[in-house]
Amino acid sequence: MTTQLLTTTEHDLNAAAAIIRSGGLVAIPTETVYGLGADGLNPEAVKKIFLAKGRPQDNPLILHIHDAVQLRDFCRDIPDSAWLLAKTYWPGPLTMVLPVRDVVPKTTTAGLDTVAVRCPDNAATREIIRLAGVPIAAPSANTSGKPSTTTAQHVLHDMDGKIDAIVDGGPCRVGVESTIVDLTGPVPRLLRPGGITPEELEALLGGLIIDKAVTGEISNDTVVRAPGMKYKHYAPAAEVLIIDGSREAAARYIRQRFQPGDAVLCFSEELDLYAGCSPTAYGAEAEPSTLSAGLFAALRKLDDGSVKRIFARCPTGGGINVATRNRLRKSAGFHIIDAGASEAPAGTSIACPNHSEI
Ligand code: TXA
Ligand code: MG
């Protein structure tokens, strides 16, 4: 099939909605990452998403709606906290897990008795949903296991010939997938960190359980509440190693081991420390939103086949950095090395071999 590139004109949004209504696949822009959309109420259409991505069938999809009032159409037993969250953060990078109504097929929910719902902060995509007249089921628009896509070009790279169309809405503002909060238990539970921070949720809801999938490594046989959190994710072909510690200690550690085929993924403030190592900055440590916005694009840039190993610097602390850290750790398969905090002994040479051809 030929994958059409659409814009956000009313004509093209109508074309995108028509493809969705007829059971096709359209990649849609959102403020977080691009989604790979199909009619969420049509099991045959939803099956095509799993095929195009190579996604395991037991990993449920998020249902995208254009207005919070649609929650009632697809969910039951909606607690007050859901309406409060919707009022405060929708449209926006927040997904709620709620008890599902029968109208949503099991293909979308992977047979769970709950459904994940979100209203994205992208006017073009909300208009497509409205015009289509059905909620759009959409996972991130990447080949399963690869970094999510934050531009239409990234989507084309992974999905050319596999889907009907891509709506180009420009680069995604947030850059990491939505925050997922499960509202089916007595206390809201954070299943995946994202653009709405744990601190914001805690302040609004008064209580929040942080699921262990957010911070820790989950083995394949662990029962997890967000099935997708157990899979290897966001991984370029190269091995990713996170090097924690002070700027100086990390630079010393990396420069001492840097070989041809290696790459450095760091903060823009650190570029000078890696002269001769062709470092890639994914954002500024002083501006955490630039790190989340730039992470997946940088991982994709380093996924060109010539890079075998990536030494990566990972942000510390709360806020959006919780999400950036979660994604980077997953892309590294939780391979984290502490380079320590000590200064280099006086007179120690930490010259980087010059491999600027990398
Ligand atoms: O920002 C986002 O959320 C993007 C954009 C396109 O909206 N979508 C996205 O979808 O990241 P995906 O499929 O890549 O990640 C959805 C996650 C998976 O980990 C999945 O297991 C989890 O949500 N999920 C879906 N339905 C669930 C449910 N009923 N209960 C628990 N987790 C669920
Ligand atoms: Mg995904």
Side-chain angles (χ1 to χ4, degrees), residues 269-290:
E269 293 93 333
E270 300 179 326
L271 284 168
D272 286 351
L273 292 170
Y274 296 100
C277 302
S278 303
T280 297
Y282 61 108
E285 190 177 23
E287 282 176 75
S289 65
T290 63

Side-chain angles (χ1 to χ4, degrees), residues 30 32-35 53 55 59-62 64 95 97 112 114-116 118 138-140 176-178 180 191-192 225-229:
T30 84
T32 58
V33 299
Y34 275 73
K53 278 194 66 138
R55 179 178 176 106
N59 195 359
L61 305 176
I62 295 174
H64 294 71
T95 296
V97 173
L112 297 178
T114 57
V115 63
R118 132 170 155 87
S140 48
V176 290
E177 305 83 347
S178 60
I180 304 180
L191 300 184
R192 181 175 72 181
R225 287 168 202 255
M229 297 303 274

Side-chain angles (χ1 to χ4, degrees), residues 264-268 270-271 274 279-283 291 311-313:
V264 176
L265 182 63
C266 63
F267 310 130
S268 56
E270 300 179 326
L271 284 168
Y274 296 100
T280 297
Y282 61 108
L291 294 173
F311 291 110
R313 297 282 290 150

Side-chain angles (χ1 to χ4, degrees), residues 200-212:
E200 288 173 307
L201 291 178
E202 173 96 58
L204 188 72
L205 299 170
L208 182 72
I209 297 170
I210 311 280
D211 198 83
K212 58 179 187 295

Side-chain angles (χ1 to χ4, degrees), residues 27 77 93 115 191 233 330 348:
D77 307 329
V115 63
L191 300 184
H233 251 92
K330 280 173 148 277
T348 304

